[in-house]
């Protein structure tokens, strides 16, 4: 198929994009496409009519295995992360986390996300389950859906590595079974020393199995929670050839300027990536504090320093967050607001948070983007710029994966019924 009359980031004018055998071919100025003469029978064409065509969105952080479990036993009345963790443990104890439930809910969540333009998902999966049921369900799902979405799995020890019975063994088993990355929750370990020990163990596993690292790091309203500096130190010392991501990093919002001045250069030297979940942490953090803090990592500070920051949905209707629909444009809008990033220079590159930056976190950047020779994955947005995408929450009118159309959608329209009132 071909996509014609596309607006592409970084290029003036409109472009025709040729796709052959699931791979992007020549990208030529609109109207000059080679297919006019050599391939009169090229049957499928999508006319973008000047709209923006970008690579599919990347959700850098979500828990697909938790999706749809909100209210399964009871609802989270306090709204805190601590009550959510407790409810999750109760769900497991009551035997409600079955293979079929996890698989079906995660599949629904993945479909929802894809319908919003997502093509790549990094999902955390709880490994503090004695039989690793959720992991088995997600490994099966990763395989079953690979034609229309790529899922990466992070082995995630929700109830800690060191305190949970066999927590270390379960985490290693999950990586050995095929998780793409290894995670942790150092701020929830019993002591600071245990938190550091858990990170050392996580880096050991990453080295042994050659997998990426993606740790829930300092997701707590506590300026004394400083595991991010430990991650940076370990990444610099070990020099593993894998991407190292700190997810959430909420405590950074509370750090003193003097400490940040020391920390940020260390993060840069260690090439730490960030996965930030603005809506989730706006909901969870600082609930009883006056004045209420934003409770989200300092996105602008990190971005302006040159660190790679990607956004994620985190939850779709689970004990941690009762809403969410995998719509990364909504996440992006929230992230830009909470980060004070509606300035022109940030709006012009806004989609990076849910596209190229996410691709870097996932380590897929060599195969990601609209360039000749790369796999033909792209979406057509009902807008022409990043700023418009944010302003209008642009609909995804077409999604293409490996050169095949996943779905199309008609632009929204409505009819006026009153004299003198015209559509905008
Ligand atoms: Zn998370």
């Amino acid at each position: 198929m071909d996509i014609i009359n596309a607006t592409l980031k970084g290029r003036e004018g409109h472009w025709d994009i040729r796709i052959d055998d699931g791979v992007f071919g020549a990208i030529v100025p609109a109207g000059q496409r080679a297919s006019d003469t050599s391939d009169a029978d090229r049957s499928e064409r999508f006319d973008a009519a000047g709209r923006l065509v970008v690579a599919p969105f990347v959700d850098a952080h979500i828990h697909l295995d938790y999706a749809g479990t909100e209210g399964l036993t009871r609802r989270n009345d306090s709204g805190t992360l601590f009550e959510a963790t407790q409810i999750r443990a109760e769900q497991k104890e009551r035997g409600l986390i079955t293979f079929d439930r996890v698989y079906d809910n995660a599949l629904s969540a993945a479909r929802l996300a894809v319908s919003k333009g997502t093509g790549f998902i990094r999902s955390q999966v709880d490994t503090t389950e004695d039989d690793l049921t959720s992991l088995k369900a997600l490994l099966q799902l990763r395989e079953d859906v690979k034609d229309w979405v790529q899922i990466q799995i992070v082995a995630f020890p929700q109830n800690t590595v060191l305190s949970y019975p066999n927590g270390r063994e379960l985490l290693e088993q999950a990586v050995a079974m095929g998780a793409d990355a290894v995670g942790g929750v150092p701020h929830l370990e019993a002591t600071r020393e245990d938190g550091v020990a858990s990170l050392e163990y996580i880096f050991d596993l990453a080295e042994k199995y050659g997998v990426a690292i993606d740790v829930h790091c300092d997701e707590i309203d506590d300026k004394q929670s400083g595991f991010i500096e430990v991650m940076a130190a370990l990444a610099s010392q070990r020099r593993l050839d894998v991407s190292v991501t700190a997810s959430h990093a909420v405590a950074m919002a509370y750090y003193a300027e003097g400490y940040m001045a020391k920390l940020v250069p260390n993060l840069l030297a260690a090439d730490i990536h960030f996965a930030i979940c603005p809506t989730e942490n706006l909901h969870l953090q600082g609930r009883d504090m006056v004045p209420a803090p934003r409770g989200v990592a300092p996105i602008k500070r990190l971005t302006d320093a040159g660190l790679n920051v990607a956004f994620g949905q985190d939850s779709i209707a689970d004990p941690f967050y009762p809403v969410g629909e995998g719509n990364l444009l909504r996440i992006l809008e929230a992230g830009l607001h909470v980060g004070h990033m509606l300035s022109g220079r940030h709006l012009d590159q806004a989609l990076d948070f849910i596209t190229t930056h996410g691709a870097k976190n996932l380590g897929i950047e060599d195969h990601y983007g609209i360039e000749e020779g790369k796999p033909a994955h792209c979406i057509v947005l009902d807008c022409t710029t990043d700023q418009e995408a944010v302003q209008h929450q642009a609909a995804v009118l077409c999604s293409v994966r490996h050169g095949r159309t996943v779905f199309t959608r008609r632009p929204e329209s409505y009819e006026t019924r009153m004299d003198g009132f015209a559509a905008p």
Side-chain angles (χ1 to χ4, degrees), residues 110-130:
R111 282 186 176 139
L112 193 56
V114 168
S115 78
K116 310 292 182 188
T118 297
F120 303 87
I121 295 173
R122 176 176 272 188
S123 178
Q124 310 280 323
V125 182
D126 187 5
T127 60
T128 46
E129 294 179 358
D130 297 339

Side-chain angles (χ1 to χ4, degrees), residues 61-63 124 156 216 219 247-248 277 280 314:
H61 187 114
I62 193 169
H63 298 251
Q124 310 280 323
F156 167 60
H216 281 64
E219 190 183 10
S247 282
H248 298 291
C277 305
E280 181 102 358
D314 208 8

Side-chain angles (χ1 to χ4, degrees), residues 228 231-232 235 244-246 266-274 307-308:
I228 186 70
M231 283 190 70
V244 180
T245 299
N266 290 351
L267 297 172
L268 279 165
D271 195 22
I272 301 292
H273 298 186
F274 287 86
L307 289 153
N308 191 62

Side-chain angles (χ1 to χ4, degrees), residues 112-185:
L112 193 56
V114 168
S115 78
K116 310 292 182 188
T118 297
F120 303 87
I121 295 173
R122 176 176 272 188
S123 178
Q124 310 280 323
V125 182
D126 187 5
T127 60
T128 46
E129 294 179 358
D130 297 339
D131 49 7
L132 295 174
T133 300
S134 296
L135 177 74
K136 289 171 188 164
L138 264 288
L139 287 169
Q140 182 66 50
L141 183 73
R142 181 179 70 182
E143 178 65 21
D144 292 348
V145 302
K146 66 182 182 197
D147 285 345
W148 45 272
V149 62
Q150 182 183 338
I151 295 176
Q152 285 190 359
I153 291 173
V154 183
F156 167 60
Q158 173 73 68
N159 299 104
T160 75
V161 181
L162 271 66
S163 302
Y164 191 80
N166 299 320
R168 288 172 183 255
E169 291 76 12
L170 286 165
L171 190 61
E172 174 159 12
Q173 203 183 330
V175 176
M177 283 168 67
D180 302 279
V182 56
V185 280

